[in-house]
Amino acid sequence: MNGVNGYDNFDGPTSAYVKRNRKTSFAYKFKKMLYERKKAEVEKSISFDDNHAIEEVCQYVQEQWGFKEADRNSAEYKFMYKQIKHDINSEINLFLYVREDNDAHMDIEIETSTGYITGGVTGKKSSIKEFNRILRDVFIYYGVMQDDIIEKTKRYKNLVSILMQEA
């Protein structure tokens, strides 16, 4: 036998390691358990009693939060229209609402034929935090219907997702 360990053709030190699967680690399982518990609590808290039509959401964004509807001929509107049309891949009826204050630019896009709601903000960290609070409120106001809960629709999943984020 050649080599220190009885292997033929031993040519130097050999390392062996056991690759740990991240999904089996205790930390991963613990974080997943906490996530699932929080998700279950959020899902349990959702009710279909207080939901609103997408047209009411458009009005709410303006009246409650002071957003103004953007000019449909503006470059910003055309850009968002193109982006959302690409995402949805069908005819759309897009409303773009904007608000500028405290060195921040906030926009909320609402597509009324699918109920698609999204938005964005540029500005200071405090403006981003405020925008996240506004968008959360808009999703809560929009709510879900009983069918959304039963079928776990995109509208329902979006609400669960936004409610799981820290307020």
Side-chain angles (χ1 to χ4, degrees):
M1 278 198 241
N2 297 337
V4 176
N5 293 325
Y7 297 107
D8 291 325
N9 300 324
F10 179 76
D11 59 0
T14 302
S15 297
Y17 68 95
V18 177
K19 182 178 177 185
R20 294 187 70 194
N21 186 344
R22 184 177 77 94
K23 291 184 179 181
T24 61
S25 73
F26 175 76
Y28 176 82
K29 288 179 181 179
F30 185 72
K31 287 178 184 177
K32 185 175 181 184
M33 185 227 19
L34 291 177
Y35 172 85
E36 293 297 332
R37 182 180 293 168
K38 184 175 182 178
K39 184 177 177 188
E41 289 173 8
V42 165
E43 288 178 333
K44 193 175 183 181
S45 73
I46 294 175
S47 167
F48 60 87
D49 296 335
D50 192 25
N51 62 71
H52 297 87
I54 196 73
E55 293 78 11
E56 293 175 295
V57 175
C58 291
Q59 189 174 356
Y60 182 77
V61 165
Q62 295 175 83
E63 293 174 359
Q64 180 68 26
W65 294 106
F67 282 76
K68 305 289 182 214
E69 187 174 350
D71 179 6
R72 291 186 178 230
N73 292 319
S74 70
E76 183 179 16
Y77 179 87
K78 289 178 180 178
F79 176 78
M80 292 312 301
Y81 184 91
K82 185 178 179 183
Q83 291 295 316
I84 292 173
K85 184 167 176 57
H86 179 266
D87 290 347
I88 295 176
N89 202 19
S90 69
E91 286 303 310
I92 64 172
N93 186 24
L94 178 67
F95 291 87
L96 172 63
Y97 298 98
V98 295
R99 184 174 119 181
E100 307 235 4
D101 53 22
N102 300 332
D103 299 323
H105 175 85
M106 302 177 190
D107 58 77
I108 295 179
E109 298 84 38
I110 301 175
E111 201 290 309
T112 59
S113 59
T114 61
Y116 180 82
I117 300 173
T118 190
V121 60
T122 56
K124 298 177 183 174
K125 194 172 189 175
S126 60
S127 300
I128 294 169
K129 196 171 190 174
E130 178 186 7
F131 178 76
N132 288 338
R133 189 172 52 83
I134 291 169
L135 196 59
R136 177 185 176 98
D137 180 66
V138 169
F139 271 93
I140 291 169
Y141 181 81
Y142 186 30
V144 291
M145 295 182 288
Q146 187 173 13
D147 289 347
D148 294 318
I149 295 171
I150 293 168
E151 297 172 15
K152 304 248 189 275
T153 64
K154 188 169 180 115
R155 178 175 176 176
Y156 172 79
K157 289 177 182 176
N158 286 341
L159 180 61
V160 169
S161 176
I162 204 146
L163 291 176
M164 288 191 61
Q165 297 173 13
E166 297 299 321

